[in-house]
């Protein structure tokens, strides 16, 4: 499988903010200023210089780029615009030639492609959320115009390969993250390592207390249920004895009389009516059973996108491109500005990347060419997804 790496798909260059803590930056400059740097379309963060420890010009992978091509800072719009030449010159050509294209990149570079494909306005594109590792599938007509999918979430014409509920939940989370700074609160300055450790200790103790209380409640409930069952059994035994005594009385004979006259009590016991034979099951008819919830695999195999990406359908109907935002990184968890800095996937990010590949495999998708950025988190996401497709050869 050919894999094309391009700096044009790199994440936004955050300039001098690269590697900095988002909460601490908000304390230093003010939350509104930092949010403008993060979310405004044209506002650029402070630039870094060539002596900055995170200046990418010293890295081997960028040695063929000119100084003018290596940004010192970027706005959202800058990032979006630099991804378009790759689409027009290479990705689009592969799609026209009938190839299934996978693009694994970053939120802001993917926004650039989506803005260009769907013709989304500059005012609306910053609000478009792109969740981690939920494949976004686009189909095109013969003129390379996007075909609106049944399960598309406006203003996109492509559809996510997840249930509507899962997609909506992921998009809500993205919106919340965009409107706030991860880890930042009004009392952030009091979150010293010691205070954080104490809070963690208190949280663990509280969780242990809750577990102990839950176990005690479960034990008490089990004992109560056992006592109730014993009472029911005793009542059933007493009722059975009373019913038998009444039956003996009606028969006009007591156990003593039976012994005296040698009467067989079994002969006087009423016989149970014979059970009617079960009606035969018609040949081929299914047995009645409770409907069970589908597992994720069963749901995926049911293809809720209505054959959107069945390989045969793709080849006979329209070209296709799948976009995947990389899995989470340790920088995400720590609330750091990442940008062009290389940050590996976290354990959660690895699971997310594999799950993206599983979704594509369960829907029958095969990949012919992969485009990714020069950053390891995007490359690793592509590789893990391809492993699930058995396409790493």
């Amino acid at each position: 499988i050919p894999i094309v790496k391009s700096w044009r798909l790199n994440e936004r260059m955050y300039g001098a903010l690269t590697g900095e803590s988002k909460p601490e930056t908000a304390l230093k400059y003010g939350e509104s200023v930092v949010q403008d740097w993060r979310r405004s379309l044209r506002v650029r963060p402070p630039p870094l210089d060539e002596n900055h420890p995170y200046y990418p010009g010293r890295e081997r992978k960028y040695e063929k780029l000119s100084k003018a091509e290596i940004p010192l800072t970027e706005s959202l719009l800058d990032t979006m615009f630099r991804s378009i030449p790759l689409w027009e010159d290479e990705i689009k050509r592969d799609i026209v030639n009938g190839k299934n294209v996978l693009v694994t990149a970053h939120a802001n570079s993917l926004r650039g492609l989506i803005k260009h494909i769907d013709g989304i306005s500059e005012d609306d594109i910053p609000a478009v959320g792109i969740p981690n590792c939920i494949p976004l599938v686009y189909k095109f007509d013969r003129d390379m115009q996007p075909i609106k999918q049944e399960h598309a979430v406006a203003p996109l014409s492509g559809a996510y390969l997840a249930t509507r509920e899962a997609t909506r939940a992921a998009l809500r989370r993205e919106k919340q993250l965009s409107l706030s700074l991860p880890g930042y609160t009004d009392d952030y300055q009091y979150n010293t390592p010691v205070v954080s450790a104490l809070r963690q200790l208190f949280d663990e103790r509280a969780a242990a207390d809750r577990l102990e209380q839950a176990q005690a409640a479960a034990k008490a409930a089990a004992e109560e249920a056992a006592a109730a069952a014993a009472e029911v059994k005793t009542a059933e035994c007493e009722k059975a004895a009373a019913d038998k005594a009444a039956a003996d009385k009606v028969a006009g004979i007591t156990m003593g009389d039976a012994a005296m006259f040698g009467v067989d009590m079994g002969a006087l016991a009423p016989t149970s009516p014979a059970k009617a034979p079960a009606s035969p099951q018609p040949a081929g008819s299914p047995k009645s059973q409770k409907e069970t919830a589908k597992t994720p695999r069963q749901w995926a195999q049911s293809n809720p996108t209505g054959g959107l990406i069945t390989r045969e359908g793709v080849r006979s109907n329209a070209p296709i491109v799948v976009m995947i935002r990389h899995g989470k990184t340790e920088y995400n968890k720590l609330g750091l500005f990442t940008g062009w800095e290389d940050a590996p996937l976290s354990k959660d990010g690895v699971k997310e990347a594999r799950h993206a590949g599983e979704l594509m495999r369960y829907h029958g998708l095969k990949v012919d060419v992969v485009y990714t950025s020069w950053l390891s988190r995007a490359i690793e996401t592509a590789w893990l997804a391809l492993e699930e497709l058995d396409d790493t050869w």
Side-chain angles (χ1 to χ4, degrees):
I1 302 296
I3 298 181
V4 180
K5 302 171 188 173
S6 174
W7 66 278
R8 292 189 177 278
L9 290 175
N10 275 17
E11 178 57 292
R12 175 187 180 187
M13 164 55 74
Y14 279 103
L17 300 182
T18 305
E20 297 292 327
S21 164
K22 294 175 183 178
E24 290 179 2
T25 305
L27 281 177
K28 182 177 181 180
Y29 297 101
E31 184 177 3
S32 61
V33 173
V34 176
Q35 285 293 66
D36 279 343
W37 288 335
R38 293 181 66 219
R39 306 305 305 171
S40 294
L41 194 64
R42 293 179 172 82
V43 176
R44 297 185 179 103
L48 49 73
D49 57 39
E50 295 183 15
N51 296 320
H52 194 282
Y54 291 115
Y55 174 64
R58 292 186 292 271
E59 298 183 51
R60 182 180 177 185
K61 56 178 170 278
Y62 303 121
E63 63 184 8
K64 292 184 179 180
L65 298 183
S66 66
K67 284 190 175 182
E69 290 176 315
I70 299 177
L72 301 180
T73 184
E74 284 182 313
S75 67
L76 285 174
L77 199 59
D78 295 331
T79 309
M80 294 176 192
F81 279 151
R82 69 164 151 82
S83 67
I84 295 175
L86 182 68
W87 172 265
E88 289 293 333
D89 298 339
E90 299 187 49
I91 300 176
K92 192 173 181 179
R93 179 185 59 204
D94 282 332
I95 299 171
V96 170
N97 289 333
K99 294 181 179 179
N100 284 357
V101 177
L102 171 63
V103 181
T104 59
H106 312 264
N108 291 312
S109 54
L110 290 177
R111 277 194 187 96
L113 298 181
I114 291 170
K115 180 184 186 303
H116 185 64
I117 293 169
D118 281 321
I120 301 173
S121 70
E122 293 183 0
D123 292 334
D124 293 335
I125 192 62
V128 173
I130 305 176
N132 296 92
C133 287
I134 299 182
L136 174 62
V137 181
Y138 275 89
K139 292 176 70 176
F140 300 88
D141 60 22
R142 293 184 181 274
D143 298 322
M144 280 303 295
Q145 295 301 309
I147 300 172
K148 185 78 171 182
Q149 302 302 313
E150 179 183 354
H151 297 279
V153 179
L156 278 58
S157 58
Y160 285 105
L161 289 190
T163 62
R164 291 183 179 181
E165 293 75 12
T167 299
R168 288 170 182 166
L171 291 174
R172 282 196 299 269
R173 182 177 180 276
E174 284 300 310
K175 184 176 181 180
Q176 292 171 354
L177 289 174
S178 71
L179 297 176
S180 62
L181 289 169
Y184 177 79
T185 61
D186 292 337
D187 62 346
Y188 176 80
Q189 56 266 41
Y190 301 109
N191 290 342
T192 64
V194 174
V195 173
S196 298
L198 287 173
R199 285 180 176 171
Q200 182 178 357
L201 178 61
F202 292 150
D203 289 343
E204 290 174 353
R205 286 180 176 175
D209 290 341
R210 288 193 297 270
L211 177 60
E212 185 177 350
Q213 292 171 2
Q215 290 174 337
K219 182 179 180 181
E223 292 175 349
E224 184 177 348
E231 290 179 2
V232 170
K233 186 174 182 180
T234 300
E236 289 176 348
C237 291
E238 291 175 351
K239 184 177 183 303
D243 291 344
K244 188 174 185 305
D248 290 346
K249 186 175 182 180
V250 171
I253 187 169
T254 64
M255 293 297 293
D257 295 330
M260 181 180 298
F261 295 104
V263 177
D264 181 6
M265 287 297 295
L268 299 177
T271 59
S272 300
K275 291 185 179 179
S279 58
Q281 193 82 341
S285 63
K287 293 184 178 179
S288 174
Q289 59 182 7
K290 293 183 179 178
E291 185 178 354
T292 57
K294 290 182 178 180
T295 65
R297 175 172 296 194
Q298 290 170 332
W299 170 84
Q301 289 172 330
S302 70
N303 207 345
T305 51
L308 172 67
I309 60 168
T310 301
R311 186 172 177 80
E312 292 76 12
V314 169
R315 291 305 187 195
S316 61
N317 294 328
I320 188 173
V321 62
V322 182
M323 300 183 191
I324 300 178
R325 179 186 175 187
H326 66 80
K328 295 185 185 69
T329 70
E330 293 298 335
Y331 271 41
N332 295 140
K333 296 171 66 176
L334 294 173
L336 304 179
F337 287 101
T338 310
W340 281 36
E341 174 61 12
D342 243 343
L345 295 180
S346 64
K347 290 182 179 180
D348 290 338
V350 170
K351 292 179 182 178
E352 290 171 339
R354 290 194 180 280
H355 181 62
E358 289 172 358
L359 281 173
M360 290 190 290
R361 173 163 55 86
Y362 295 151
H363 284 281
L365 178 63
K366 295 294 181 182
V367 173
D368 299 309
V369 59
V370 178
Y371 286 84
T372 184
S373 76
W374 267 113
L375 300 172
S376 62
R377 54 191 183 274
I379 298 170
E380 189 177 359
T381 296
W383 184 262
L384 293 170
L386 290 175
E387 276 191 336
E388 295 300 322
L389 295 175
D390 193 26
D391 275 345
T392 53
W393 43 272

